[in-house]
Amino acid sequence: MTAAGSAPPDATVPDDVLGTEVPARPLGRLDAGRCSVQALARGDSPVATASPAQRWLLIEQPGPWGREALTESRFDADVAPMLARRSREEGVRLLLVRRPGGRLADSGRRWAYADSRPGREGLWWSVRTSDAELVTAPWDGSVGEAAPGPTYLVCTHGGHDACCALRGRPLARSLPAPGADDVWECSHLGGDRFAANVVVLPHGFYYGQVPGDGSDLVAAHGRGQVALPWLRGRAGVPAPGQAAQHFARGELGLFGIDDLPVVSVEQRTPPGSEVERWLVILAGPDGEVVTSVESRPSADAAHLTCRATHPAHSRTWHVTFAGGPVA
């Protein structure tokens, strides 16, 4: 079960500097040694790698981002620790965002709260007069202007991994979303080797190895569907549930964003086992869809990020409808 896309041409892309006075630090080229190039060559699948986050805080912050985006940016250094503490305590994923291609926003002070929980989906934009306001602002959708459609966040965080900028920035500039406010560059999403990475809010669908200009992804969401070939999973869904949904969508041809919700995930092996198994039940249009899910280490270890100093095994996922052998 794989979800792979073709790699864009090699390009030299500057680091996370968007028309500011801070000099760019060259990232190099998208050569054969990059983690995303190697992952495509190995056929690594991004399936079942979406974040557990279900609530989000987006903070517009133009300019460069260091490896730790919030604290290594122009965000107020006194406020950053308090904001990070609140986000941890409330279980809210914090991301910095900025306009693609060096375009500055009208104010550079926008922020948004997004909720990906089923039945509560929404994203609301506000404008802050100071960074300190975010520490006490309501994170519940009670303030701000609701986004009318999907918002696309493309990871371009080259300070975290070069592949994110080398693949992500060209995609963010070309993604054909309906409006200028619908596409943003964002800080680290995870899964660097799957760059270009995209998360679509408010529903929280993660995508990896997105090819070309991303037009197929945007078209699918315009129809209220997922783009299955590049889908990593839906944020907040347990990894076995993400794997089961991906398999069942492909087998049953159900691509609607709300299709096949997870009913239950029952682990059949002790947690932490080398090979883990689950029984995952999904809600289908004609009744329950029962799947057997297995996860095991990849056959070979590899460097999973451009910064990795040691090879590691990733997890692979294998799914069948219950009643047959797990492949």
Side-chain angles (χ1 to χ4, degrees):
M1 188 171 68
T2 61
S6 57
D10 283 3
T12 299
V13 182
D15 199 3
D16 307 333
V17 178
L18 300 179
T20 71
E21 70 274 19
V22 178
R25 176 170 55 82
L27 284 172
R29 297 184 63 82
L30 194 60
D31 57 35
R34 294 296 185 192
C35 67
S36 65
V37 177
Q38 294 183 355
L40 280 167
R42 290 190 302 268
D44 288 4
S45 170
V47 170
T49 59
S51 165
Q54 289 188 292
R55 300 170 63 218
W56 314 75
L57 187 72
L58 314 181
I59 304 171
E60 185 180 8
Q61 186 59 56
W65 305 331
R67 180 169 173 79
E68 301 297 330
L70 182 65
T71 57
E72 297 178 31
S73 68
R74 293 174 180 163
F75 191 85
D76 190 317
D78 294 327
V79 174
M82 295 184 286
L83 194 66
R85 186 181 310 113
R86 181 183 174 189
S87 70
R88 288 192 301 270
E89 291 173 351
E90 298 192 21
V92 174
R93 178 73 184 271
L94 194 157
L95 294 173
L96 297 192
V97 299
R98 61 192 176 198
R99 299 285 190 172
R103 298 195 306 273
L104 296 180
D106 296 337
S107 66
R109 310 289 285 177
R110 299 184 73 184
W111 67 276
Y113 167 78
D115 197 328
S116 296
R117 291 173 292 184
R120 304 184 187 184
E121 297 93 343
L123 186 150
W124 298 267
W125 285 106
S126 299
V127 176
R128 67 192 189 274
T129 58
S130 72
D131 291 342
E133 289 180 12
L134 296 177
V135 177
T136 56
W139 298 355
D140 58 9
S142 63
V143 299
E145 181 179 352
T151 298
Y152 300 86
L153 306 182
V154 183
C155 181
T156 63
H157 196 171
H160 197 278
D161 192 288
C163 284
C164 297
L166 291 166
R167 291 189 186 275
R169 293 195 68 192
L171 178 64
R173 288 195 298 268
S174 62
L175 200 72
D181 289 343
D182 299 333
V183 181
W184 295 81
E185 296 187 5
C186 75
S187 55
H188 180 57
L189 288 177
D192 304 337
R193 73 188 190 279
F194 301 129
N197 285 299
V198 179
V199 63
V200 184
L201 295 178
H203 289 84
F205 286 104
Y206 269 64
Y207 292 92
Q209 299 172 337
V210 177
D213 65 357
S215 56
D216 290 341
L217 188 159
V218 172
H221 277 270
R223 298 190 299 269
Q225 297 180 333
V226 298
L228 193 65
W230 310 286
L231 183 63
R232 291 174 55 181
R234 182 170 180 171
V237 175
Q242 294 178 34
Q245 285 180 328
H246 196 283
F247 169 80
R249 283 181 182 279
E251 291 294 312
L252 301 176
L254 296 172
F255 307 119
I257 56 175
D258 293 319
D259 286 345
L260 297 167
V262 174
V263 175
S264 65
V265 177
E266 178 185 336
Q267 187 148 13
R268 295 297 183 89
T269 54
S273 299
E274 182 175 13
V275 177
E276 295 185 274
R277 295 183 177 88
W278 297 263
L279 185 72
V280 179
I281 299 177
L282 311 173
D286 300 315
E288 292 184 343
V289 176
V290 184
T291 64
S292 296
V293 180
E294 179 181 288
S295 176
R296 55 180 180 257
S298 58
D300 299 315
H303 289 83
L304 301 183
T305 70
C306 289
R307 291 176 177 264
T309 57
H310 301 287
H313 292 273
S314 59
R315 301 294 295 186
T316 63
W317 295 88
H318 312 269
V319 186
T320 62
F321 291 123
V326 176

